[in-house]
Structures are given as C-alpha cells and as structure tokens.
Amino acid sequence: MRILYLLFLGGGFSLLVANGFLGREFFGNRRRADLPPSVRQTPGAYRTFLHNNGFHGGK
Amino acid sequence: MTTLASCPSCGAALNFRPGTMVTVCPYCKALAARRDRNPELLGKVADLVDTGSPLGLGASGTHAGRAFTLAGRVQLKHALGGVWDEWYLALDDGRWGWLAEAQGRFYLTFTQQPHGTLPPVDALQPGGPADLGPDGLWTVGEVSQATFHSAEGEIPWAVDPGATYRFADLSGRNGAFATLDYSEEPPLFFLGRETPLAELGIRGGLRKPAKVGVQGLGCPHCGGTLALHAPDQTQRVGCPSCGSLLSAADGKLAFLKSLKQPRQDVVIPLGAEGTLQGERVTCIGQLRRSCSIDDTDYPWNEYLLLDSQHGFRWLVQSDGHWSLATAVAPGEVPAVRDGQKNLSALGASWRRFQDVTAVVEGVWGEFYWAVEQGERVEVAEFVAPPRSLSCERQAHKGGGEVNWSLSTYLEPETVWSAFKLEGAPPAPQGIASFQPNPHKATLAKGALWLVGALGLLLALVLAESMTHRNVELFHQRLDLFELARIDPTSAAAPDRRIPAKRPAPGVQPATEPQEPVYFSGPIEIKNGFQNLALTLEAPVNNAWISLEGALVSETTGVAELFLVESSFYHGVDGGESWAEGAQGETVYLSAVPAGTYVLRLAPTWDGRVPPVRAIDVRLRQGVLRWLYPGLALLAILIVPLLLVLRMTAFETWRWQESMYSSKTGGG
C-alpha cells in the first residue's frame, strides 16, 4: 500500500510540477509538430496540414 | 492502657486494650468477651485456615503518620465457600482500622458515622449504584453474606461464633472502597480504600512463611500428580487426568465430584511459563466457557495466568483471536443500565457489543474461586478496539457480585512467541469484537505522509500563483465577414429559429466551409517555462464556430497545433427546454521556447455565411490551471480514501455480529 501511495504521490506531483514550473500541458486538443516551410508560406497548405494532423473542426 | 485478665477456660493471661470487645486465648482458643469484671466465655474457635496471608499477629506499621499494631484477625467464610481474612489495626491514637484481605488485595477501612440513612441491603444490586448522599455515590461490587469461621488475637467487635451477616462491598474511583455491614441495625459503615501492603510499611509479626514455588499433591480420586502454583489462594482444582473437581484447603485436596468434561482443545499446557507484556506468567488453569446466541453455541477458552506478584490475569482464546484480561475495580466504571449502549470509563468511550450468558463447561487446573461446572454469569461487553470492558454479574446465595475486566487484543503470534509454542498459530476466524481495525492503523501511520503531501501541495500552489501572472500576449477581434471576404449586405440572414430537436451528431455541413485564414503579427514570448492559453469567444446561437490554429516559431518552424470551438445549442424538446455547449472555449498549450511566434488561425463554420460577425481570440501565458493541483490532491487523497472505505467495511463487518448494531437495533 505504501508503494502504491508513493506511486500516486509521485504521479500527482510530477504532473503539478511539470505544468506549474515547466509549462507542460498533458490534456487538451493540441499537438506539437514541425511545420514545413512550404506549409508556412501557403495558407491552403496550412489548413491541409492541420487536417492531416487530426484537427477536424465542425460538428 | 491494656487490661490484663485471665482466660475463663484455661486461666492464661489475656489482653484487652481499649476498644477490644473479644479476645481469643492463644493457648486454648477460647473466645473471651470483655465484661465489667471477668471475661465471659463465648465458646471456642475453630483452627485458622491457612490462607497464605503475608501478615502476622503483632506486626506493626504506620498509616497516615500513626503507628499501628495488628492486634487481631477474624476469618470469615464467603457464601461461595472461600475464606478471607480481616485484620484489625490498633492505632496508637486509640482508633481501630479494618484491613480486609482478598485474592492478594488489601482494603483498609475505618468505621464512619454515616451522614445520611444507609440503604437497606435488599435495595442494592451488584453493579448498580449506591447513593449514600453526602457520603458519595458508589458502585455496588458485591452483596453477599459472611459467616464467622475463626479468629485470633483481639477483636474490636462483639463476635457471635457461627453467626452469619449480610454485607455490601462498595467501590469508588481511584481505589475508594466501603463496606456496609448489616450485622447491626442501623448498619455499620466502613470507609477506606484499596491499599498496597507496601504503603503500610508492615514489619515483624508472627506469620507462617509464604508458600513459594510449586506444591505437588496427588489427586484423591485418581492419584495423578497435581502441581499447585498458587496453593495459598487455590480453592478449586480440576484434575486434568480424571476430570474430578477437587476442593483445596490447608494444602490438602478433597474430592468433590467427577465432571463430564468437554474435549480439551487448549494450546497452552498447564504449568507453561511465558513472558507476556514484560511480565513472567505461568498458566495454572484452563477454563472452557460458552454462550448460546440464537441456538448456536459459541465456545471459547480461558487460561488463568499467575504473574510474579501472585496476581491473576486471563488469556482468552476465541476463534483464533487472543486477548489478555485483567480485573478492574467496579468503582472505576460508572453504573451501567440495562441496554445502555455507550459508556464512558477509564478515559475512553466504549460501545456495547453484546450481552450473553457465559457458562463454564470445562475446568482444568487450579482456580482462586470455587468454580463449578455449569456456573453461569451474565456478561455485558463494551468495546473500544483494541480493548474491551466486560461486566460479569453472578448471582449467588446471599446476593451476588459484579466483576469488571479489561481485555487487550493480542496478535496470535504474540502468544505463540510468549509461550514458545510450536508451529504457527491458527488463522483467526472472522473479526473479533474488539480486534483493532488494521486499516485504521495503516491510515494512522500514513497520516504524516498525508499531512506532508498536503503541505507540499499548498506550497507549490502558492508558489505557482505567485509566478503565474496570466500575461496577455495577443488579443484580437476577428471580423469573419471580412476574413472570408463576404459582403454582409448580400449575405443571407442566419437562421435563428429555435430547432425542434437536438442536432443529430455527425451531421455534415450542407455546404463546403470557407477557407479564411488569419495571420497574426510577431508575438514575443520571453518565458519558455510557462504554459499558454488560447481562448475563443464567439456568441453563437444554435450554431458553431471552430478555430483551427497553430502557434508557429518564426525561427524553427516548430508549431503548437490546436483546435478550439464555440458551440452553443438550445431549444425545447417535449416541453422541456435544453441547452448544451458554450459560447467560448480555452485550449491550453505547453510552454514553447522563448522567441518570436506567429499565430495562424483558420475559423470554420457551418454554411457559407458565418453565424456571428466577429469572434474574440486571446492568447495568454502563465495561466494557473486548477486541474493539476486537483489531480495532485486526488493522488494525495485516493489511497487514504481507499483505506477509509476498507476501514468502514471492516467496522460494518464487525458490527454485523453485534446485537447492538444499528441494523439489528439491539437494546
């Protein structure tokens, strides 16, 4: 039980510290990616790039 | 001043000090009563029973700064057959004190003039209260009768040989003790307290050396060898060889009857020595008792232990559970009413668990009272794990008595280790009434961790709240018509009718979405260790707007991609109004390295025309998210909560067996 508790405490505080002091986010509809220069320079390509990365807006 | 007189029987010299009513001739055992002229012969007394008393006639000591001499002794026979001593202290100020000796305990009392009317003996119930008015509220320990048996020395009361009188022993807090003696009318009132012998500083006197060690005797029925470890105090012996019940007096055994003993399933043999709670003890008796609840018999074993101070303790074994019990003076426990559920005593709160009639089924070894097979006592058990407080009431000729005992739960391994028993103890069955809750102990051990973790959480949240300033990096109101290059005047008015039904999930837009994209100017991010929050606010009404976006580093091209939506629907369905969604949403992004960034936003909506004219987009940095402290708090509390659940389940299981549980509604 003590080990289980330590695991829970470790997990909880790791999330808190990573978010509060390193700025890491673990939940939410977001993703980090390298945006190729071609995409950066073309609005239409940018939308396609987002779509291909799983961002599908709308109902 | 001592008066000298001659024995009316043998002419030997007799002493009558002030207050002496009767003197026993040391030569012919004549009982001589003080009279105006010559002593009157009342009769002769029987031989004294060897009670193993450590006191002797003529011994001296001090009490409250006054010297005293043990001037006399009377032996009284109890209604249950035992004999006890009453010693008379002649103090140097002319007063007399009564020193009663029973089961190795001493009670020193003095006659008192009661301040009120003493209650009649029939009004007193063992275990019940005795209200003596100005003389206090007492607990009745015993109501019984005593018969004069023998005497020696000088006695300060008019002895009537062979007379029987009733008495009540009262017990109060902190060892207070009183006796109401109903041999006279009005009754006599003796007041005092339990007094350790060492406190009296007794020295000298004529006494037999105390029997020490083991006395070997033969069973008068089968001839088997019986080892008596407390021969001075033993009154009954159950022969383990032939099952005979024997009486013990004056170092001799007498056959009383043959017992039909149950199967002996004890684990601690007679004579076994061990060390329990730092005290050297010897098992001298084994008792099998049982009670019946709903026509089911519940047997248990009790082991009588003799400690190094010649005191007694009980080791109780029931369904693999063990406990160690010691006697508690009745006065230490407030009077208990029938069915009373809660009790406050000995600095603890106790909860009544059950009431049973305990019956003695088997007797092996030696006992300090006249135990009988079939002996019945009414037991009321109160528990405060890991302890229990039991009240045993026994009715007998002349009244009855109440005995309280305090039991402490022992782990079976403790008993095995104490007596060096072979093998492993059997696993306990079920939950004992006062078994400590193991989850409670675990929770208590973890309390420090819990407090420490909560403190750390508080400190981290405080630190985070001081460093997170919610800095706004970008704020823009986007005109969607302008962004999508739609002429507002030519655009059809959006359908603002309230839909009759909720929109079916997965409905695709009727027309292809527009492809407007917004590019922000350079956004300078200086802190690379704080999160980002992008908030979309769009006052949509039964419509949605989705914002696909990216926060792109101008130098590396690394982008944080995100999706945020504003979707709000409401209506009436079957006469009930409903609403879902919200007119805004925030998406949180991980911290990005310090540098210059550009925000690219691509809004989409259903249909050709946007549902609202403009949307509001805001980017902030250093936003305190309560989700993470909440998760940490959950991590801190989840194991304690789990333990609380298990602790509660354990208690529920325990109290299912009680006749005073809330479910059974006992009492």
Side-chain angles (χ1 to χ4, degrees), chain A residues 1-2 4-13 15-36 39-44 46-47 49-51 53-59, chain B residues 449-450 453 456-457 460 464 468 507 516 519 529 531 544 546 548-550 552 554 557-563 565 567 569 587-592 600 602-604 625 627-629 631-632 635-636 638-640 646:
Chain A
M1 189 61 85
R2 179 178 293 182
L4 181 68
Y5 194 34
L6 287 175
L7 285 174
F8 273 114
L9 288 182
F13 278 107
L15 283 176
L16 179 65
V17 170
N19 174 258
F21 300 95
L22 300 175
R24 295 297 306 275
E25 287 291 344
F26 301 92
F27 309 99
N29 208 352
R30 67 190 179 57
R31 182 176 304 162
R32 180 164 292 188
D34 279 327
L35 211 59
V39 173
R40 292 163 61 193
Q41 292 160 6
T42 315
Y46 163 68
R47 173 176 293 283
F49 181 81
L50 285 175
H51 192 86
N53 273 275
F55 292 92
H56 309 285
K59 286 285 177 184
Chain B
W449 281 90
L450 179 68
L456 180 61
L457 174 64
L460 288 174
E464 198 176 334
H468 285 60
V507 174
F519 297 85
F529 296 100
N531 67 347
W544 59 269
S546 180
E548 298 165 353
V552 186
E554 286 200 324
V558 174
E560 281 287 319
L561 311 180
F562 58 86
L563 177 68
E565 287 185 342
S567 170
Y569 288 86
V587 65
Y588 293 89
L589 311 177
S590 288
V592 293
R600 303 180 178 215
T604 56
R625 277 190 88 181
L627 170 68
Y628 293 95
L631 286 174
I636 291 168
I638 193 162
V639 169
R646 294 177 73 178

Side-chain angles (χ1 to χ4, degrees), chain B residues 51-71:
Chain B
T51 57
S53 173
L55 303 177
L57 208 60
S60 59
T62 53
H63 170 69
R66 308 299 307 200
F68 67 80
T69 304
L70 290 184

Side-chain angles (χ1 to χ4, degrees), chain B residues 613-659:
Chain B
R613 176 68 189 252
I615 60 174
D616 199 73
V617 181
R618 190 185 303 260
L619 180 66
R620 292 164 295 150
Q621 187 175 31
V623 180
L624 197 156
R625 277 190 88 181
W626 288 103
L627 170 68
Y628 293 95
L631 286 174
L633 183 64
L634 184 66
I636 291 168
L637 295 179
I638 193 162
V639 169
L641 286 174
L642 193 66
L643 283 172
V644 167
L645 281 177
R646 294 177 73 178
M647 191 174 77
T648 307
F650 186 93
E651 291 301 326
T652 304
W653 192 12
R654 180 207 305 279
W655 286 96
Q656 275 175 352
E657 300 296 318
S658 167
M659 59 178 63

Side-chain angles (χ1 to χ4, degrees), chain B residues 219-257:
Chain B
C219 172
H221 191 245
C222 71
T225 303
L226 297 168
L228 300 190
H229 294 79
D232 293 339
Q233 300 179 70
T234 298
Q235 291 194 25
R236 286 284 188 276
V237 177
C239 177
S241 303
C242 65
S244 299
L245 185 65
L246 315 169
S247 72
D250 283 339
K252 296 173 186 172
L253 297 176
F255 174 77
L256 291 175
K257 57 184 167 184

